[in-house]
C-alpha cells in the first residue's frame, strides 16, 4: 500500500485516496471547434509513462480534495505532491 | 525436431530421457527479416506460428527483452472462456475457444486445455440482470452459457457457500461449460516450438530500443540491444509495455498499464472442480493440475510498471474467497505476484494497423488476454500478412477511438478495474 503525502493532511495510507488519472490534461476551452482526432486525443490517449509520471489523486476519505502527484511508475516511489492548479514541477515557466 | 507420440515417449523412457533435443533454436539475429514481432509471449509467438504456417512467411524474428513467456503469459490465471457481451467480442473470443479445443494436436504439444466450466456468480439484482443479459446475448451468438440457481451452482461446485448469512450471498450464477483452463507455459512453449520448426528465429534477451523509419515515415527496421535489424513489417505485441514501444514510433496509445495481481496456495488434493469468478466481490479461483489454488485479484488503482502491487488488493480478494469457500480459511498461500496489463478505455483489445506504414499492433488485452492467445495470434498474423485487418479483427482497430465505435466489455472483463 502506498503512503501518500496529501498536501493538506500529510502522509496517509493509499486506501484513503482515489486515483485520478494522468495530470495536466486540460479540458478543451473551445469544444465546438474540436475534430474527432482531437476529441480522441483528449478523451482516450494517455502518456502511460514508464518512469516519472504526473498524476492526480483525491483524498476522498480525508479532506476530499484533488491534488497532483509525481511518482516513479517503475519503483512506485512518490517523489512529491503539489496542489491542483499548480504547474508541473520542472516544467518550463 | 522430435515429434511427441506414445512411441517416442516410450523410446525416451528406455534411454532415460537423455535424447530429447532442444524444443526451439536460439539463433543469433540476422541482419534482415520479412517481419519482426516484438514480444515473445503467447500472443507474439502464436502470431509468428500462424505467419509461418498459414501464410508461408517464415523469415520472421520474435524479439524478447527478457525470456520467453516471462511476462503476462507466465503470470496470468490461465482461464479460458468466450462469454463476452457484444457480437464483435463474442466472435473473436469464440474463435479462440475453437482453436483451444484442438490446440494440443495442432501443436503436437500438450497445452492441457481443460474445459471444466467457468461459473460467474451473481450477488445482487444488478449482477442478475447483467449476467442474464450475457447469457441471452451469448446464446444468440451460438455460444454456450446458461443461468443457474444458487442450488444448481452448488451442485456444479460443491464447496461453494450459498448460505444467506454471508455479506454477499450467492443469488445465482452463469455457467459456460466449454470454458476452463490450460497450462500457460505450455502454450508459449508449444507455439515457440512450432514456430521455430518452421524457420522462425526466437531471440531472447534482445530489447528493442528504437523503431527506424524512412523519409516517408514507413518502418525500415528496429534498433535492439543486439544490433540493428532491417524489416519492413513490425508487429508490436508487448502487452503492458505497448505504450513504451509505440512511443518509439511517435504513436500515442489509448492505454494505461496497471498491475494485476494473482496468488497461488500450497498444493492440495483435487477439491475444486471448475473455475468460479465473482466480479462484484473481486475474486476468481480454480485449481491447477498440480493442486495449487490459483486465485486472481483485482488491479491496483494506479499506473505502474513495477510487476507488483499493494498487499491490500490481494488481501481483499482472500476475504471474498474465504467467505465463498470457508474450507479454504486455513489454506496457506505460497506466492503472490503482479503482471502489468494494458487496459483500454473500452476493455477491448486493439488489433491492426497504425498510422505508421509497416507498423502493426496487437495490444489492449488488459486483464483477460490469455484466453484469446490462439485467436489473437491467428487474426493478427492474417492482418500482418495481408496488410488489411482479418474480418474478426476489423472492429478492433486503433481508429475506433477516433470514430467512436467502442466495444464496451467492462462487465465481461470480470476483473475489478
Amino acid at each position: 500500500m502506498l503512503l501518500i503525502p496529501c498536501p493538506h493532511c500529510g502522509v496517509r495510507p493509499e486506501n484513503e485516496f482515489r486515483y485520478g488519472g494522468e495530470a495536466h490534461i486540460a479540458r478543451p476551452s473551445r469544444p465546438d471547434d474540436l475534430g474527432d482526432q482531437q476529441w480522441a486525443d483528449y478523451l482516450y490517449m494517455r502518456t502511460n509513462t514508464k518512469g516519472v509520471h504526473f498524476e492526480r489523486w483525491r483524498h476522498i476519505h480525508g479532506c476530499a480534495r484533488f491534488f497532483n502527484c509525481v511518482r516513479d511508475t517503475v519503483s512506485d516511489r512518490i517523489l512529491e505532491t503539489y496542489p491542483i492548479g499548480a504547474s508541473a514541477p520542472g516544467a518550463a515557466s | 525436431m522430435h515429434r511427441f507420440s506414445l512411441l517416442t515417449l516410450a523410446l525416451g523412457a528406455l534411454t532415460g530421457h537423455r535424447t530429447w533435443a532442444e524444443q526451439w533454436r536460439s539463433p543469433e539475429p540476422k541482419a534482415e527479416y520479412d517481419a519482426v514481432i516484438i514480444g515473445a509471449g503467447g500472443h507474439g509467438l502464436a502470431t509468428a506460428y500462424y505467419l509461418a504456417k498459414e501464410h508461408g512467411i517464415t523469415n520472421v524474428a520474435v524479439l524478447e527483452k527478457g525470456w520467453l513467456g516471462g511476462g503476462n503469459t507466465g503470470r496470468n490465471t490461465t482461464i479460458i472462456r468466450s462469454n463476452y457481451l457484444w457480437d464483435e467480442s463474442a466472435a473473436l473470443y469464440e474463435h479462440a475457444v475453437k482453436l483451444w479445443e484442438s490446440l494440443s494436436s495442432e501443436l503436437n504439444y500438450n497445452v492441457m486445455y481443460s474445459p471444466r466450466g467457468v461459473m460467474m456468480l451473481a450477488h445482487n439484482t444488478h449482477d442478475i440482470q447483467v449476467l442474464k443479459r450475457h447469457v441471452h446475448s451469448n446464446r444468440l451468438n451460438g455460444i454456450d452459457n446458461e443461468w443457474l440457481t444458487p442450488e444448481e451452482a452448488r451442485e456444479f461446485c460443491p464447496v461453494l457457500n450459498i448460505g444467506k448469512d454471508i455479506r454477499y450471498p450467492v443469488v445465482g450464477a452463469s455457467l459456460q461449460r466449454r470454458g476452463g483452463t490450460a497450462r500457460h507455459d505450455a502454450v508459449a512453449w508449444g507455439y515457440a516450438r512450432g514456430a521455430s520448426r518452421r524457420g522462425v528465429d526466437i531471440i531472447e534477451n534482445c530489447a528493442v530500443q528504437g523503431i527506424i523509419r524512412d523519409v516517408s515515415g514507413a518502418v525500415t527496421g528496429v534498433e535492439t540491444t543486439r544490433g540493428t535489424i532491417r524489416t519492413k513489417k513490425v508487429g508490436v505485441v508487448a502487452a503492458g509495455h505497448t505504450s513504451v514501444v509505440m512511443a518509439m514510433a511517435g504513436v500515442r496509445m489509448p492505454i494505461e498499464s496497471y498491475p494485476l495481481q494473482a496468488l497461488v496456495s500450497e498444493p492440495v488434493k483435487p477439491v475444486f472442480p471448475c473455475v468460479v469468478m465473482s466480479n462484484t466481490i473481486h475474486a476468481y479461483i480454480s485449481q491447477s493440475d498440480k493442486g495449487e489454488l490459483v486465485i486472481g485479484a483485482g488491479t491496483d488503482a494506479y499506473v505502474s510498471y513495477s510487476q507488483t502491487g499493494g498487499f491490500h488488493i490481494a488481501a481483499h480478494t482472500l476475504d471474498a474467497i474465504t467467505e465463498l469457500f470457508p474450507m479454504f480459511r486455513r489454506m496457506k498461500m505460497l506466492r503472490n505476484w503482479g503482471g502489468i496489463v494494458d487496459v483500454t478505455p473500452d476493455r477491448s483489445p486493439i488489433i491492426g494497423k497504425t498510422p505508421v506504414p509497416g507498423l502493426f499492433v496487437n495490444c489492449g488485452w488488459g486483464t483477460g488476454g490469455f484466453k484469446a492467445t490462439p485467436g489473437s495470434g491467428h487474426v493478427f498474423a492474417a492482418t500482418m500478412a495481408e496488410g488489411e485487418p482479418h474480418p474478426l479483427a476489423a472492429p478492433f482497430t486503433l481508429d475506433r477511438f477516433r470514430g467512436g465505435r467502442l466495444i464496451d466489455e467492462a462487465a465481461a472483463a470480470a476483473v475489478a478495474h
Side-chain angles (χ1 to χ4, degrees):
Chain A
M1 188 177 298
L2 302 179
L3 290 175
I4 302 175
C6 171
H8 313 288
C9 309
V11 176
R12 305 295 302 171
E14 178 194 334
N15 54 7
E16 291 185 9
F17 296 82
R18 173 95 26 99
Y19 183 64
E22 186 174 337
H24 304 296
I25 297 174
R27 188 175 176 82
S29 53
R30 296 170 61 88
D32 291 349
D33 298 343
L34 259 51
D36 287 351
Q37 187 59 53
Q38 290 155 310
W39 271 118
D41 289 345
Y42 167 67
L43 288 172
Y44 302 127
M45 301 300 164
R46 293 294 179 264
T47 313
N48 199 21
T49 314
K50 183 178 185 180
V52 177
H53 189 245
F54 296 87
E55 62 197 20
R56 297 179 306 177
W57 286 84
R58 188 180 178 203
H59 195 185
I60 48 165
H61 299 299
C63 62
R65 292 163 81 174
F66 275 97
F67 59 93
N68 291 316
C69 176
V70 189
R71 186 174 50 89
D72 184 332
T73 60
V74 178
S75 65
D76 288 336
R77 195 175 297 277
I78 291 174
L79 305 174
E80 66 175 296
T81 55
Y82 55 101
I84 208 81
S87 57
S93 72
Chain B
M1 185 76 66
H2 286 85
R3 261 193 81 76
F4 292 118
S5 68
L6 196 58
L7 181 66
T8 58
L9 285 175
L11 288 174
L14 290 175
T15 54
H17 291 296
R18 281 187 292 269
T19 56
W20 297 108
E22 60 176 12
Q23 296 296 302
W24 55 86
R25 298 169 293 111
S26 299
E28 287 300 309
K30 292 192 279 191
E32 182 163 8
Y33 288 95
D34 293 338
V36 164
I37 310 288
I38 301 175
H43 291 235
L45 292 165
T47 305
Y49 173 82
Y50 291 114
L51 271 176
K53 177 168 180 272
E54 309 254 315
H55 306 281
I57 302 173
T58 57
N59 186 27
V60 175
V62 185
L63 309 182
E64 169 55 50
K65 72 172 174 179
W67 66 95
L68 187 151
N72 293 349
T73 297
R75 293 164 187 271
N76 69 84
T77 49
T78 77
I79 291 163
I80 295 165
R81 57 189 174 87
S82 60
N83 54 354
Y84 280 68
L85 180 65
W86 301 106
D87 295 352
E88 297 89 341
S89 326
L92 183 63
Y93 289 100
E94 181 62 13
H95 180 53
V97 167
K98 293 217 168 87
L99 290 171
W100 278 115
E101 285 167 350
S102 58
L103 193 60
S104 291
S105 58
E106 161 81 23
L107 295 176
N108 179 233
Y109 203 92
N110 188 2
V111 300
M112 297 165 72
Y113 169 58
S114 164
R116 58 184 67 181
V118 172
M119 193 160 75
M120 302 175 98
L121 303 179
H123 301 279
N124 53 44
T125 306
H126 174 75
D127 285 353
I128 293 174
Q129 290 167 347
V130 168
L131 288 180
K132 280 193 173 172
R133 187 180 177 200
H134 279 72
V135 167
H136 297 314
S137 166
N138 290 158
R139 289 169 70 170
L140 287 172
N141 275 314
I143 293 169
D144 75 299
N145 197 357
E146 61 197 89
W147 180 253
L148 304 182
T149 64
E151 290 71 26
E152 290 168 333
R154 188 179 56 185
E155 204 169 301
F156 191 70
C157 182
V159 295
L160 178 66
N161 178 9
I162 57 168
K164 303 287 184 222
D165 56 344
I166 62 176
R167 176 66 184 86
Y168 295 99
V170 176
V171 295
S174 70
L175 171 63
Q176 184 176 26
R177 292 182 188 272
R178 288 161 62 241
T181 59
R183 170 91 163 92
H184 51 355
D185 293 326
V187 177
W189 298 337
Y191 274 122
R193 174 173 174 268
S196 181
R197 188 165 65 175
R198 286 171 172 80
V200 172
D201 285 357
I202 299 161
I203 301 161
E204 296 172 275
N205 299 309
C206 179
V208 171
Q209 297 172 308
I211 293 173
I212 311 165
R213 299 157 70 186
D214 64 16
V215 287
S216 74
V219 169
T220 59
V222 289
E223 297 281 4
T224 78
T225 49
R226 295 177 66 174
T228 303
I229 297 171
R230 291 194 305 276
T231 185
K232 289 192 164 53
K233 270 187 186 176
V234 170
V236 178
V237 197
H241 278 74
T242 300
S243 298
V244 176
V245 177
M246 294 300 283
M248 295 174 190
V251 179
R252 269 170 75 81
M253 297 297 289
I255 282 178
E256 289 191 304
S257 297
Y258 297 94
L260 176 64
Q261 293 187 53
L263 56 167
V264 295
S265 74
E266 58 190 336
V268 290
K269 287 181 178 178
V271 288
F272 204 83
C274 57
V275 180
V276 174
M277 322 184 67
S278 170
N279 200 2
T280 295
I281 56 176
H282 308 167
Y284 52 104
I285 179 168
S286 63
Q287 187 174 20
S288 73
D289 291 345
K290 201 162 62 179
E292 301 154 324
L293 297 180
V294 182
I295 297 170
T299 55
D300 281 79
Y302 45 81
V303 166
S304 176
Y305 290 82
S306 63
Q307 290 191 326
T308 182
F311 186 68
H312 61 293
I313 301 285
H316 177 64
T317 291
L318 291 177
D319 289 347
I321 293 287
T322 51
E323 189 158 80
L324 288 173
F325 309 102
M327 70 183 295
F328 296 146
R329 280 183 183 162
R330 294 169 67 187
M331 193 81 117
K332 295 182 182 69
M333 293 297 135
L334 280 189
R335 297 189 301 281
N336 173 207
W337 64 90
I340 302 304
V341 297
D342 41 338
V343 177
T344 58
D346 60 1
R347 273 63 179 163
S348 285
I350 299 166
I351 315 166
K353 300 196 286 187
T354 70
V356 176
L359 184 66
F360 298 81
V361 70
N362 182 356
C363 67
W365 293 95
T367 56
F370 176 75
K371 67 174 79 69
T373 305
S376 161
H378 188 257
V379 300
F380 190 51
T383 303
M384 283 188 70
E386 306 295 330
E388 289 300 324
H390 182 280
L392 291 178
F396 295 92
T397 59
L398 178 57
D399 213 34
R400 73 175 184 271
F401 296 96
R402 187 168 63 101
R405 283 191 69 89
L406 303 194
I407 304 161
D408 182 2
E409 290 289 0
V415 168
H417 291 91

